[in-house]
Amino acid sequence: MLDRKLIEKVIDKALSNGADFAEIYVEDTYNSRISFNDSKTKQSIAGKDFGAGVRVFYGTTAIYAYTNDLSERSLLAAADAVSKAAKGGKIITSIDLTKNTFTNLHPIKIPNDSVPKSEKVDYLRRIDKAARSVSDMITQVDMNLLGKMQKIMIANSEGLWAEDSRTYTRVSANAIASKGSEKQSCSDGPGEHKGFELLHEIDPIELGEKIAKTAILMLNADYAPSGKFPVVVDNGFGGVIFHEACGHALETTSVAKGASVFADKMGKRVANPVLTAIDDGTTPNGWGSTNIDDEGMPTQKTVLIENGILKSFIVDKMGSIKTGYARTGSGRRQSYKFAPASRMRNTYIAAGTSKLEDLISSVDYGIYAKKMGGGSVMPGTGNFNFAVNEGYIIRKGKIAEPVRGASLIGNGPESIKQISMVADNLKMAPGMCGSVSGSIPANVGQPAVKIDEIIVGGRK
């Protein structure tokens, strides 16, 4: 993406005031987005974004600058700016860049920029028609179709030179059912590290009908009870609770500051022995997968918690320097406008041996949270509040009537101690994760889990 001599000149300039480490990150990205609502295309945008960032380390201090001008003059100016932000000791004067090659774990069949807009719009129109055909109570259907093709290059003063290409495709759809002044909605948003072939694997009619039927089901449901109950949280997006309430506390961005409840728990029991949690950047075509992280290190499968024992943090380069833990290929960033930080990739609770039916039958009276929604988390404590988008009463070991308006209120580190059963139906769900290095694609996931007791917010 850049001439080798220019890369070396930029790194030399960045090191010229005695920095311990220098790195250049170059990006060339194609983005496309079609928004479809009121049964017509509302917005269609596509464009390219390119630029570069230069980072230096002085001890445990990182300094970063970026530019969208890839000329030699602009890149050297960025390198000069970060080099003058501090003063180090020994000046490194010679860099031997070696281009690294990696096996591509995420093959792409149909690049997003090769598909006509008319084909993409037709796909969304079929979802819209399918959802509205379910009932006249479906009053609104909103959809977005996203495509991203990102090429990156990373080189640093340790001689690393690595490149990667990433392609993402995601369709999100939300159906709103209305009855008088009451409204309920249901959404779904499958996405993977794939090209347009992903949409050939997802039936738009099935997707539209599914979200419409669930929205109507919840519209006609009674309100959920409130109190402390056993809760079975089903697979897929239920993993958002672990991601938000525990996962971020396992990133060295939090650990290094001493802001994580897990900071001093390495090797200690932090969860019920039935729970194993993993962060995996190597999942083939996973939404949160890459071949290398944004610091040029091959990604890996990292066991965070094994049988309830804390085994690893999520570690980027600076996090490794500050904490002493080995890097896990987890340095990630939204774009060249952000310095990398330790971030999750495909994070999930591993499959257990029980069946979903076993979890349900073990509950005399409680809640079955089939589909979770969004929520909020206090980063320092792990206290959370997440909505249940599709819920049911469990009565005498059987799934009974649907209920709406429920939320789960708890504390992440305490809740994973309350998980006593884990099913075998692991499923992943894509989302966008926001943190210090921007918004990045990340999968959450889990099989169905039984939480022995948790506060359920309801209206009865």
Side-chain angles (χ1 to χ4, degrees):
M1 298 175 71
L2 285 182
D3 177 75
R4 179 193 182 110
K5 290 183 178 178
L6 176 56
I7 296 170
E8 292 174 347
K9 288 177 70 174
V10 172
I11 294 175
D12 281 344
K13 174 61 73 175
L15 293 169
S16 61
N17 209 30
D20 303 317
F21 170 82
E23 170 195 82
I24 179 171
Y25 172 93
V26 184
E27 175 186 1
D28 183 353
T29 295
Y30 164 83
N31 282 302
S32 68
R33 178 191 186 103
I34 297 175
S35 298
F36 193 97
N37 52 35
D38 293 333
S39 299
K40 57 188 176 185
T41 302
K42 285 291 186 181
Q43 186 180 53
S44 177
I45 55 175
K48 301 266 285 184
D49 190 17
F50 59 88
V54 181
R55 182 173 65 152
V56 296
F57 290 171
Y58 288 91
T60 57
T61 300
I63 302 159
Y64 189 72
Y66 67 88
T67 174
N68 63 356
D69 180 353
L70 296 184
S71 68
E72 179 173 334
R73 178 190 58 78
S74 180
L75 291 171
L76 290 175
D80 187 52
V82 294
S83 74
K84 291 179 176 175
K87 185 172 180 59
K90 181 180 178 182
I91 297 175
I92 303 170
T93 57
S94 178
I95 305 164
D96 182 15
L97 287 175
T98 301
K99 191 168 186 178
N100 296 355
T101 58
F102 308 95
T103 301
N104 180 19
L105 302 174
H106 319 292
I108 304 301
K109 296 179 181 177
I110 306 175
N112 282 306
D113 61 354
S114 69
V115 180
K117 176 185 170 184
S118 58
E119 186 175 345
K120 297 176 180 177
V121 171
D122 182 63
Y123 185 90
L124 297 176
R125 186 175 287 115
R126 293 168 69 191
I127 297 174
D128 181 81
K129 184 177 180 181
R132 293 179 186 276
S133 68
V134 170
S135 168
D136 291 340
M137 287 193 287
I138 298 299
T139 55
Q140 190 170 338
V141 185
D142 300 321
M143 288 160 288
N144 286 292
L145 178 54
L146 308 176
K148 179 176 181 179
M149 300 167 63
Q150 180 189 46
K151 295 179 181 178
I152 66 161
M153 186 282 295
I154 306 149
N156 66 34
S157 56
E158 295 172 346
L160 179 138
W161 179 9
E163 298 179 0
D164 194 14
S165 294
R166 302 152 180 180
T167 295
Y168 303 94
T169 301
R170 188 181 189 193
V171 59
S172 58
N174 182 61
I176 299 176
S178 303
K179 184 171 63 177
S181 60
E182 295 192 63
K183 297 180 185 294
Q184 287 288 314
S185 65
C186 179
S187 62
D188 201 2
E192 293 193 36
H193 186 152
K194 287 185 175 179
F196 197 75
E197 69 269 19
L198 172 67
L199 300 190
H200 294 169
E201 302 167 8
I202 302 168
D203 185 341
I205 296 173
E206 183 179 322
L207 174 59
E209 290 180 348
K210 182 177 71 172
I211 59 175
K213 289 176 179 176
T214 302
I216 292 169
L217 179 72
M218 289 297 103
L219 184 67
N220 293 317
D222 196 2
Y223 286 112
S226 58
K228 289 185 177 180
F229 302 110
V231 173
V232 174
V233 182
D234 209 347
N235 60 4
F237 199 65
V240 70
I241 297 177
F242 181 85
H243 173 104
E244 296 289 356
C246 296
H248 283 296
L250 294 169
E251 296 167 339
T252 47
T253 305
S254 299
V255 175
K257 297 174 183 173
S260 167
V261 295
F262 297 114
D264 60 349
K265 299 291 194 301
M266 185 59 68
K268 298 180 180 177
R269 181 167 300 287
V270 296
N272 190 296
V274 300
L275 187 140
T276 291
I278 293 168
D279 181 56
D280 189 358
T282 67
T283 305
N285 295 107
W287 176 246
S289 295
T290 54
N291 290 306
I292 57 174
D293 72 357
D294 290 329
E295 297 178 322
M297 179 179 176
T299 55
Q300 60 180 235
K301 182 177 182 177
T302 307
V303 177
L304 303 172
I305 299 171
E306 186 174 35
N307 300 325
I309 306 297
L310 180 60
K311 292 291 186 178
S312 178
F313 293 123
I314 298 166
V315 189
D316 65 329
K317 187 173 181 65
M318 179 51 79
S320 179
I321 292 171
K322 288 183 175 179
T323 66
Y325 292 106
R327 294 167 64 191
T328 55
S330 307
R332 303 189 67 192
R333 62 180 110 193
Q334 177 179 330
S335 72
Y336 69 91
K337 298 176 182 176
F338 296 83
S342 57
R343 304 290 297 275
M344 287 175 276
R345 301 160 298 194
N346 305 295
T347 310
Y348 58 93
I349 295 173
T353 57
S354 300
K355 299 295 183 184
L356 171 61
E357 295 77 15
D358 300 332
L359 277 59
I360 298 294
S361 65
S362 72
V363 177
D364 183 59
Y365 183 82
I367 299 293
Y368 168 48
K370 183 175 182 179
K371 188 177 180 66
M372 294 301 299
S376 60
V377 175
M378 295 289 289
T381 63
N383 291 336
F384 64 79
N385 185 330
F386 281 92
V388 178
N389 279 359
E390 183 180 355
Y392 300 81
I393 294 292
I394 302 174
R395 187 175 286 110
K396 298 189 181 305
K398 303 287 185 185
I399 297 174
E401 67 273 18
V403 289
R404 60 172 163 157
S407 59
L408 303 185
I409 303 163
N411 173 273
E414 291 303 316
S415 293
I416 59 176
K417 297 175 184 174
Q418 292 284 323
I419 293 176
S420 61
M421 297 180 74
V422 180
D424 59 358
N425 60 342
L426 173 63
K427 181 181 177 184
M428 307 300 289
M432 295 303 294
C433 174
S435 187
V436 292
S437 60
S439 178
I440 58 174
N443 257 332
V444 301
Q446 66 171 49
V449 300
K450 177 190 173 187
I451 305 174
D452 285 340
E453 185 177 85
I454 190 170
I455 296 173
V456 176
R459 295 194 185 182
K460 294 176 65 177

